Amino acid sequence: MELSLAHPAIKAFMCGSFSGTCSTLLFQPLDLIKTRLQTLQSGVQPGSGRVGMMSVLLSVVRTEKLLGLWKGVSPSFARTIPGVGIYFSTYYSVKQHFFQDGSPGAVEAVLLGGGARMVAGVVMLPVTVIKTRFECGRYSYGSVTGALRSVCRTEGPAALFSGLTATLLRDVPFSGIYVMFYSQTKASLPKEISSSPSAPLANFSCGILAGVLASLITQPADVVKTHVQVNPQSLRTAEAIRIIYTDHGLQGFFRGAVPRSLRRTMMAAMAWTVYEQMMAHIGLKS
């Protein structure tokens, strides 16, 4: 079936999947570095040198070669390509149903973005767990499907949904806050910019601003989510929060904030820009 004959929600899914593919391939190294920073052994001696983003980057390149920075890209693709597609198709369908005659306000944008992310987050959580384990360097899975079978066999299917609470506490507010700031800043642009050839660049800039704010607000939930998914048999969300605070204090909840903010901000900005341009190209209002 040709794309022109497809249901609008399917078109939105395809546009979202393509935008997610581009952004994932470019920014996977930042996600790997973020995960490594968050899963450093908590038994590091107090007063020892601070391990930062560049230290982890050089360590990965030295021990796993340059391609080691893309470790976990397969589960990232398995998660992002359908996940971003589900997100944008849900977002488009709900927006068309409730806001066909106008643009959502700030509160409506939060609910719209958060609701779409909740659907995608729950559906794709098993692959998210595998992706996190690939990136942390503690597991030696051979493939995504092999990892899924291994977890089900050794830990039970419930392990594939470890970190669900922390994931939703991270992703739902992130998407809601992001959509709110993104839609409001876009709406404030002069009409001559929105309709000019520089509109994609203006939209990308709005995405950068929205992404930075949303990333910083949801960073603590991301740290907790990573700890739970890497240690699902021994940690629950409340226990992970206690351990992080005991070992590292409040600053422990912002470990990996720089690479995550860079990645989430750039990925979201690129995904939304590509999505909106593709939707406009096929004649749909995003």
Side-chain angles (χ1 to χ4, degrees), residues 190-226:
K191 289 187 177 180
E192 54 267 24
I193 293 179
S194 301
S195 58
S196 70
S198 61
L201 179 60
N203 292 345
F204 189 82
S205 300
C206 292
I208 293 291
L209 175 62
V212 169
L213 295 171
S215 293
L216 292 177
I217 292 171
T218 58
Q219 176 63 23
D222 184 68
V223 176
V224 175
K225 185 266 320 179
T226 299

Short mmCIF file of all heavy atoms in Angstrom, two decimals, residues 190-226:
data_model
loop_
_atom_site.label_atom_id
_atom_site.label_comp_id
_atom_site.label_asym_id
_atom_site.label_seq_id
_atom_site.Cartn_x
_atom_site.Cartn_y
_atom_site.Cartn_z
N PRO A 190 7.44 34.97 15.44
CA PRO A 190 6.75 35.79 14.44
C PRO A 190 6.32 34.95 13.24
O PRO A 190 7.02 34.02 12.85
CB PRO A 190 7.82 36.83 14.04
CG PRO A 190 8.78 36.86 15.19
CD PRO A 190 8.79 35.46 15.73
N LYS A 191 5.19 35.29 12.65
CA LYS A 191 4.66 34.50 11.54
C LYS A 191 5.59 34.48 10.34
O LYS A 191 5.64 33.49 9.60
CB LYS A 191 3.29 35.04 11.12
CG LYS A 191 2.19 34.76 12.13
CD LYS A 191 0.83 35.17 11.61
CE LYS A 191 -0.28 34.82 12.60
NZ LYS A 191 -1.63 35.20 12.12
N GLU A 192 6.35 35.57 10.15
CA GLU A 192 7.25 35.60 9.01
C GLU A 192 8.38 34.59 9.14
O GLU A 192 8.91 34.09 8.15
CB GLU A 192 7.83 37.01 8.80
CG GLU A 192 8.51 37.62 10.02
CD GLU A 192 7.56 38.47 10.85
OE1 GLU A 192 6.33 38.23 10.76
OE2 GLU A 192 8.04 39.35 11.57
N ILE A 193 8.75 34.25 10.40
CA ILE A 193 9.77 33.23 10.62
C ILE A 193 9.17 31.84 10.44
O ILE A 193 9.77 30.96 9.82
CB ILE A 193 10.39 33.36 12.03
CG1 ILE A 193 11.18 34.67 12.14
CG2 ILE A 193 11.29 32.16 12.35
CD1 ILE A 193 11.81 34.89 13.49
N SER A 194 7.98 31.62 10.98
CA SER A 194 7.34 30.31 10.90
C SER A 194 7.06 29.87 9.47
O SER A 194 7.01 28.68 9.18
CB SER A 194 6.02 30.34 11.69
OG SER A 194 6.26 30.68 13.04
N SER A 195 6.87 30.84 8.58
CA SER A 195 6.56 30.50 7.19
C SER A 195 7.74 30.68 6.25
O SER A 195 7.59 30.55 5.04
CB SER A 195 5.39 31.36 6.70
OG SER A 195 5.70 32.74 6.82
N SER A 196 8.92 30.97 6.80
CA SER A 196 10.10 31.22 5.97
C SER A 196 10.92 29.93 5.81
O SER A 196 10.68 28.94 6.51
CB SER A 196 10.97 32.29 6.62
OG SER A 196 11.58 31.79 7.80
N PRO A 197 11.90 29.92 4.91
CA PRO A 197 12.78 28.75 4.75
C PRO A 197 13.58 28.41 6.00
O PRO A 197 14.08 27.30 6.14
CB PRO A 197 13.71 29.15 3.59
CG PRO A 197 12.93 30.17 2.82
CD PRO A 197 12.15 30.93 3.85
N SER A 198 13.72 29.39 6.91
CA SER A 198 14.48 29.15 8.14
C SER A 198 13.61 28.56 9.25
O SER A 198 14.07 28.42 10.38
CB SER A 198 15.12 30.45 8.63
OG SER A 198 14.11 31.42 8.93
N ALA A 199 12.37 28.19 8.93
CA ALA A 199 11.45 27.63 9.94
C ALA A 199 12.01 26.38 10.61
O ALA A 199 11.92 26.25 11.84
CB ALA A 199 10.09 27.36 9.32
N PRO A 200 12.62 25.42 9.86
CA PRO A 200 13.19 24.24 10.53
C PRO A 200 14.25 24.60 11.57
O PRO A 200 14.30 23.99 12.64
CB PRO A 200 13.79 23.43 9.38
CG PRO A 200 12.99 23.83 8.19
CD PRO A 200 12.68 25.29 8.40
N LEU A 201 15.09 25.59 11.26
CA LEU A 201 16.12 26.01 12.22
C LEU A 201 15.48 26.66 13.44
O LEU A 201 15.92 26.42 14.58
CB LEU A 201 17.08 26.99 11.55
CG LEU A 201 18.21 27.54 12.43
CD1 LEU A 201 19.08 26.41 12.96
CD2 LEU A 201 19.06 28.55 11.66
N ALA A 202 14.46 27.46 13.23
CA ALA A 202 13.75 28.08 14.35
C ALA A 202 13.08 27.03 15.22
O ALA A 202 13.15 27.09 16.46
CB ALA A 202 12.71 29.08 13.83
N ASN A 203 12.46 26.02 14.58
CA ASN A 203 11.82 24.94 15.34
C ASN A 203 12.86 24.16 16.13
O ASN A 203 12.62 23.76 17.28
CB ASN A 203 11.08 24.01 14.40
CG ASN A 203 9.88 24.68 13.76
OD1 ASN A 203 9.43 25.74 14.21
ND2 ASN A 203 9.36 24.07 12.70
N PHE A 204 14.02 23.91 15.51
CA PHE A 204 15.08 23.18 16.19
C PHE A 204 15.57 23.95 17.42
O PHE A 204 15.82 23.35 18.48
CB PHE A 204 16.25 22.95 15.22
CG PHE A 204 17.31 22.02 15.73
CD1 PHE A 204 17.15 20.64 15.64
CD2 PHE A 204 18.47 22.51 16.31
CE1 PHE A 204 18.12 19.77 16.12
CE2 PHE A 204 19.45 21.66 16.78
CZ PHE A 204 19.27 20.28 16.68
N SER A 205 15.67 25.26 17.29
CA SER A 205 16.10 26.10 18.43
C SER A 205 15.08 26.05 19.56
O SER A 205 15.44 25.98 20.74
CB SER A 205 16.31 27.55 17.97
OG SER A 205 17.30 27.62 16.97
N CYS A 206 13.79 26.07 19.21
CA CYS A 206 12.75 25.93 20.22
C CYS A 206 12.86 24.58 20.92
O CYS A 206 12.67 24.47 22.13
CB CYS A 206 11.37 26.07 19.58
SG CYS A 206 10.98 27.72 18.95
N GLY A 207 13.19 23.54 20.13
CA GLY A 207 13.36 22.21 20.70
C GLY A 207 14.54 22.12 21.66
O GLY A 207 14.47 21.43 22.68
N ILE A 208 15.62 22.82 21.34
CA ILE A 208 16.79 22.84 22.22
C ILE A 208 16.43 23.42 23.58
O ILE A 208 16.75 22.86 24.63
CB ILE A 208 17.93 23.65 21.58
CG1 ILE A 208 18.47 22.96 20.33
CG2 ILE A 208 19.06 23.88 22.58
CD1 ILE A 208 19.20 21.68 20.59
N LEU A 209 15.76 24.56 23.57
CA LEU A 209 15.37 25.21 24.82
C LEU A 209 14.44 24.32 25.63
O LEU A 209 14.64 24.12 26.84
CB LEU A 209 14.68 26.54 24.52
CG LEU A 209 14.10 27.30 25.72
CD1 LEU A 209 15.21 27.67 26.70
CD2 LEU A 209 13.34 28.55 25.26
N ALA A 210 13.44 23.75 24.98
CA ALA A 210 12.50 22.88 25.68
C ALA A 210 13.19 21.64 26.23
O ALA A 210 12.91 21.19 27.35
CB ALA A 210 11.37 22.47 24.73
N GLY A 211 14.13 21.08 25.47
CA GLY A 211 14.82 19.87 25.89
C GLY A 211 15.70 20.07 27.09
O GLY A 211 15.78 19.20 27.98
N VAL A 212 16.42 21.18 27.16
CA VAL A 212 17.29 21.47 28.30
C VAL A 212 16.47 21.54 29.58
O VAL A 212 16.82 20.94 30.61
CB VAL A 212 18.08 22.77 28.07
CG1 VAL A 212 18.78 23.21 29.36
CG2 VAL A 212 19.11 22.59 26.96
N LEU A 213 15.39 22.28 29.54
CA LEU A 213 14.55 22.44 30.74
C LEU A 213 13.94 21.11 31.16
O LEU A 213 13.97 20.75 32.35
CB LEU A 213 13.45 23.47 30.45
CG LEU A 213 13.92 24.91 30.19
CD1 LEU A 213 12.76 25.78 29.72
CD2 LEU A 213 14.55 25.51 31.44
N ALA A 214 13.40 20.36 30.22
CA ALA A 214 12.77 19.09 30.55
C ALA A 214 13.78 18.07 31.06
O ALA A 214 13.48 17.30 31.98
CB ALA A 214 12.03 18.55 29.32
N SER A 215 14.98 18.05 30.49
CA SER A 215 16.01 17.09 30.90
C SER A 215 16.46 17.32 32.34
O SER A 215 16.59 16.38 33.12
CB SER A 215 17.22 17.18 29.97
OG SER A 215 16.91 16.74 28.68
N LEU A 216 16.70 18.56 32.70
CA LEU A 216 17.18 18.86 34.04
C LEU A 216 16.12 18.53 35.09
O LEU A 216 16.44 18.02 36.17
CB LEU A 216 17.58 20.34 34.13
CG LEU A 216 18.82 20.74 33.32
CD1 LEU A 216 19.08 22.23 33.44
CD2 LEU A 216 20.05 19.95 33.79
N ILE A 217 14.87 18.81 34.78
CA ILE A 217 13.79 18.55 35.75
C ILE A 217 13.62 17.06 36.01
O ILE A 217 13.34 16.63 37.13
CB ILE A 217 12.47 19.18 35.25
CG1 ILE A 217 12.57 20.70 35.26
CG2 ILE A 217 11.29 18.72 36.10
CD1 ILE A 217 11.41 21.42 34.60
N THR A 218 13.83 16.23 34.98
CA THR A 218 13.56 14.79 35.10
C THR A 218 14.82 13.96 35.31
O THR A 218 14.75 12.73 35.34
CB THR A 218 12.84 14.28 33.84
OG1 THR A 218 13.65 14.56 32.68
CG2 THR A 218 11.50 14.96 33.68
N GLN A 219 15.98 14.60 35.48
CA GLN A 219 17.24 13.86 35.64
C GLN A 219 17.24 12.89 36.84
O GLN A 219 17.69 11.74 36.70
CB GLN A 219 18.42 14.83 35.76
CG GLN A 219 19.77 14.19 36.02
CD GLN A 219 20.22 13.27 34.89
OE1 GLN A 219 19.77 13.44 33.76
NE2 GLN A 219 21.11 12.34 35.19
N PRO A 220 16.77 13.28 38.03
CA PRO A 220 16.79 12.33 39.15
C PRO A 220 16.05 11.03 38.85
O PRO A 220 16.52 9.94 39.22
CB PRO A 220 16.11 13.12 40.28
CG PRO A 220 16.40 14.55 39.96
CD PRO A 220 16.32 14.62 38.47
N ALA A 221 14.91 11.10 38.19
CA ALA A 221 14.16 9.89 37.87
C ALA A 221 14.94 9.00 36.90
O ALA A 221 14.85 7.77 36.96
CB ALA A 221 12.80 10.25 37.27
N ASP A 222 15.74 9.61 36.01
CA ASP A 222 16.54 8.82 35.07
C ASP A 222 17.62 8.03 35.81
O ASP A 222 17.89 6.87 35.48
CB ASP A 222 17.17 9.74 34.03
CG ASP A 222 17.93 8.96 32.97
OD1 ASP A 222 17.28 8.25 32.18
OD2 ASP A 222 19.17 9.03 32.93
N VAL A 223 18.26 8.65 36.79
CA VAL A 223 19.29 7.96 37.58
C VAL A 223 18.69 6.77 38.31
O VAL A 223 19.24 5.67 38.31
CB VAL A 223 19.96 8.94 38.57
CG1 VAL A 223 20.95 8.21 39.46
CG2 VAL A 223 20.66 10.07 37.83
N VAL A 224 17.54 6.98 38.95
CA VAL A 224 16.86 5.91 39.68
C VAL A 224 16.46 4.79 38.73
O VAL A 224 16.67 3.60 39.02
CB VAL A 224 15.62 6.46 40.42
CG1 VAL A 224 14.85 5.32 41.07
CG2 VAL A 224 16.04 7.48 41.48
N LYS A 225 15.93 5.13 37.58
CA LYS A 225 15.52 4.14 36.58
C LYS A 225 16.69 3.26 36.15
O LYS A 225 16.57 2.03 36.07
CB LYS A 225 14.92 4.86 35.37
CG LYS A 225 14.33 3.97 34.30
CD LYS A 225 15.21 3.57 33.16
CE LYS A 225 16.12 4.60 32.59
NZ LYS A 225 16.95 4.04 31.47
N THR A 226 17.82 3.87 35.90
CA THR A 226 19.00 3.12 35.47
C THR A 226 19.45 2.13 36.55
O THR A 226 19.75 0.97 36.26
CB THR A 226 20.16 4.07 35.13
OG1 THR A 226 19.75 4.94 34.06
CG2 THR A 226 21.40 3.31 34.70
#
